[in-house]
Amino acid sequence: MSRPPELSPCRRGTAALLRFAAALPLLLAGAIPAGSAGAEPLPGEQRVESLGSGWPGQRPRPTESPLPPEQLSRLAMAQAVAWASQRNPVLRQSYEELVATQNSLGAAYATWWPTLNASLNGGPYGARSYYNYPGAFTGGVASPGPYQNQKAYLGSYFQAIGQVDVTWNLFDPARTPTIWQNKYKVRQAADTYVIALRDNRLQTEQAFVELQQAYAQVLTGQQIVANDKLLYGLTETRFRLGSSTKVDLAKQESVLKADQSNLARAQQDVRVAQAALGELLAISDSSPLTPAEQLGALGSWPHSLAETSRAALDYRKVIEQKLMDVKINEAQAQIELATYRPTIQLVNSWLWTKAAGFTGQGPPWVQGARSDLWDTSALLQLSFTGFDGGQARMNAEASRRKARAAEASYQAAVNQVRKEVESFYAQATQGRDVVLFSSGRVKAANEALRLQTLRFNAGYGTVTDVVQAQQDLTQAVIAYVNDLADYNVALVSLARASGLSYMDDPALRQELGTPLNDLRLPARLAKLR
């Protein structure tokens, strides 16, 4: 095997110098130990983090004032939505980006105006010129005079140069498509802000419903655990009297522990829901957040599917955004093709030169000479690119392809909106029946537990029947809370997707009743122990 050619000493020195220059910043900071060679061990986290420590990195101050806890402890959904619409930094970011696109549009319009450029510089100049024949400074070889044998000419002077240029693009083929492209971007940024505002409203309403759901699980869980403790005490009393077995006592304890676990999980869900809503409200402490209303049906959806779909296609800004993508790419294609079209400029220049000192004026120079030079010009300049290897043409074709892709994305967005509307509509309409059935299930399970408990305490039933009734009530309550929360989320999601509103439905609330308000067993059972 042939050996690679060795580098010359000069090249080896250059390579070593480059390696040293690359490692110098880390070496100075102590991240790489001095004298290491080969594959050095990677620096630790603390050493790397020390690079740049102490450099200024001022954090922006919070823009929103804190909300008092007493206002958060009785929070209504409408108030939460109003606060989130004003305090959420995501909306502020979207709005600032919208203003930025408006400024870009103003910059595109500004290309109609001429540009003014001015420059001024000055400083000493020195020069020594040598000539190889005598009499160079007198204009002839044979001319007599004191400078006929002079070989060098020394110039030393101060010179200032000022220049003012006014350039006006009378005709720019890229100007009009650039302006329209920025108009489309402004429209797209406006749609983005509206989408962010609507999504923020939906997220706030959904987070509020989830907070209500978590609190409902806690309240019902406390009642169910209280029932379990009461039944466990009854079973324990019967066990001491000899009318129940240790197996019966273990079954009751198992159910008690399971429901206590559900209660602890519900309390955990409350903190998670508070944190999610607190993020949308931009508050530092979300622990005081408590819904003013208990979980209940928000209403019902009065509109037909066809009406909802038509409204959604007119309402959803994401569809309009896809159309703006088409227009932006078509405008970009025109901008690319403008490379092959002529640009006409009117260029006006004013030049002023001021010199002082030994200058080249006079035979051969004049001591203390001064000079001023004024020059003006007005030019009509025509420029264009005749050939660039096809770059502009290919870039324009790429933009046209992106426009076609945006058209396909637009159709996909339309299909997505229809699918979302149909899904939410099914959840809102069929979910009404689901919630009604779940409410009836809770009522029936609650009554079954009461009867089984009375039978068991009277000696006519077994503990297995009571345990089964307890488990049925727990499952019915959990299912009802989840179904009711899903129904409310479907309503607000359908309103977000279509721009229409759900309506209040007192008949639905009356039919549902209050199955979660009275889950505890009669207190007189405790006296029978």
Side-chain angles (χ1 to χ4, degrees):
M1 182 181 294
S2 60
R3 297 176 58 186
E6 296 184 358
L7 296 176
S8 64
C10 180
R11 291 186 177 181
R12 288 198 300 268
T14 302
L17 182 61
L18 292 175
R19 289 196 301 270
F20 176 75
L24 183 58
L26 293 178
L27 182 62
L28 293 177
I32 298 179
S36 62
E40 305 92 352
L42 295 176
E45 178 181 348
Q46 295 181 349
R47 286 189 176 183
V48 176
E49 284 188 346
S50 65
L51 298 177
S53 61
W55 295 352
Q58 185 178 3
R59 297 182 180 180
R61 293 178 299 177
T63 57
E64 302 295 344
S65 58
L67 296 174
E70 57 271 12
Q71 290 183 325
L72 301 176
S73 60
R74 297 285 298 174
L75 184 61
M77 179 184 289
Q79 183 63 66
V81 172
W83 278 341
S85 299
Q86 295 297 325
R87 299 171 58 88
N88 195 337
V90 176
L91 295 180
R92 173 66 57 182
Q93 174 188 357
S94 180
Y95 173 74
E96 296 297 339
E97 291 175 352
L98 169 59
V99 176
T101 57
Q102 290 176 317
N103 294 332
S104 298
L105 177 59
Y109 271 115
T111 58
W112 280 104
W113 295 93
T115 58
L116 175 65
N117 298 309
S119 63
L120 178 64
N121 60 77
Y125 289 80
R128 181 183 291 272
S129 301
Y130 293 91
Y131 296 86
N132 59 1
Y133 62 94
F137 298 104
T138 61
V141 177
S143 301
Y147 304 108
Q148 62 179 348
N149 296 321
Q150 187 75 28
K151 297 294 185 180
Y153 164 72
L154 178 64
S156 178
Y157 57 95
F158 178 87
Q159 178 174 283
I161 301 176
Q163 183 172 351
V164 177
D165 296 326
V166 178
T167 305
W168 191 2
N169 290 345
L170 299 178
F171 176 76
D172 186 356
R175 179 162 46 207
T176 300
T178 301
I179 291 175
W180 276 104
Q181 185 183 57
N182 282 274
K183 284 183 177 180
Y184 298 140
K185 289 182 178 180
V186 169
R187 181 67 260 173
Q188 195 173 53
D191 292 340
T192 300
Y193 174 72
V194 173
I195 290 173
L197 191 62
R198 293 173 179 174
D199 285 344
N200 179 74
R201 185 186 305 121
L202 171 63
Q203 292 170 5
T204 304
E205 292 174 341
Q206 185 172 349
F208 191 87
V209 171
E210 291 175 354
L211 183 60
Q212 288 180 317
Q213 177 184 7
Y215 267 107
Q217 290 172 344
V218 169
L219 295 177
T220 55
Q222 291 173 346
Q223 297 183 63
I224 291 175
V225 169
N227 294 346
D228 294 339
K229 290 181 178 180
L230 177 59
L231 292 173
Y232 182 76
L234 292 175
T235 307
E236 190 177 28
T237 301
R238 292 171 60 87
F239 174 72
R240 288 196 301 265
L241 296 176
S243 58
S244 293
T245 65
K246 193 171 183 180
V247 175
D248 298 334
L249 189 63
K251 289 181 178 180
Q252 285 292 348
E253 183 178 8
S254 175
V255 173
L256 173 61
K257 296 302 180 183
D259 290 335
Q260 286 176 333
S261 176
N262 293 333
L263 176 59
R265 189 177 298 108
Q267 293 171 340
Q268 171 185 308
D269 293 340
V270 168
R271 293 295 300 126
V272 173
Q274 287 175 333
L277 185 57
E279 178 188 8
L280 296 170
L281 297 178
I283 57 178
S284 58
D285 183 13
S286 60
S287 57
L289 286 174
T290 306
E293 309 94 359
Q294 294 183 356
L295 180 64
L298 293 177
S300 60
W301 191 254
H303 312 284
S304 65
L305 178 59
E307 180 183 359
T308 305
S309 297
R310 287 193 301 269
L313 293 178
D314 295 334
Y315 181 76
R316 291 297 295 273
K317 291 296 183 180
V318 65
I319 298 177
E320 187 174 349
Q321 273 196 321
K322 299 303 180 181
L323 288 177
M324 292 302 102
D325 283 336
V326 176
K327 298 296 185 180
I328 289 172
N329 286 286
E330 290 177 348
Q332 183 62 36
Q334 296 298 322
I335 294 173
E336 298 292 345
L337 292 177
T339 304
Y340 301 129
R341 298 166 187 165
T343 300
I344 301 176
Q345 292 179 317
L346 178 61
V347 183
N348 298 287
S349 299
W350 292 268
L351 178 66
W352 168 71
T353 304
K354 176 70 175 179
F358 300 103
T359 66
Q361 299 175 354
W365 62 71
V366 177
Q367 177 70 27
R370 301 289 188 271
S371 67
D372 286 278
L373 176 63
W374 295 88
D375 187 15
T376 61
S377 63
L379 303 176
L380 193 63
Q381 179 174 301
L382 176 67
S383 62
F384 67 95
T385 300
F387 178 73
D388 65 348
Q391 298 180 34
R393 181 177 58 82
M394 295 305 298
N395 288 333
E397 182 62 24
S399 298
R400 292 195 186 99
R401 291 292 180 176
K402 291 179 181 179
R404 295 181 183 177
E407 291 177 356
S409 179
Y410 160 78
Q411 187 59 48
V414 171
N415 296 336
Q416 179 69 20
V417 168
R418 289 173 178 167
K419 176 251 185 184
E420 290 180 358
V421 168
E422 292 177 0
S423 299
F424 292 143
Y425 187 84
Q427 295 173 16
T429 53
Q430 301 299 324
R432 177 190 174 96
D433 297 334
V434 172
V435 171
L436 289 173
F437 293 145
S438 295
S439 175
R441 178 185 175 186
V442 172
K443 297 174 183 177
N446 190 24
E447 184 64 21
L449 177 59
R450 295 176 191 273
L451 296 177
Q452 289 291 355
T453 302
L454 292 175
R455 287 171 54 83
F456 171 71
N457 195 60
Y460 292 103
T462 65
V463 71
T464 302
D465 299 330
V466 177
V467 169
Q468 184 63 45
Q470 286 176 273
Q471 294 174 340
D472 290 343
L473 178 61
T474 301
Q475 294 173 2
V477 168
I478 294 176
Y480 173 71
V481 171
N482 293 336
D483 292 339
L484 186 55
D486 292 342
Y487 174 72
N488 288 340
V489 170
L491 286 179
V492 297
S493 299
L494 193 56
R496 159 69 180 90
S498 64
L500 304 175
S501 300
Y502 52 85
M503 70 174 187
D504 189 28
D505 193 348
L508 175 61
R509 288 199 301 269
Q510 183 177 2
E511 192 172 356
L512 287 176
T514 56
L516 303 180
N517 291 344
D518 190 16
L519 298 178
R520 293 198 177 185
L521 294 172
R524 60 185 178 85
L525 289 176
K527 301 178 181 179
L528 300 177
R529 294 168 54 186

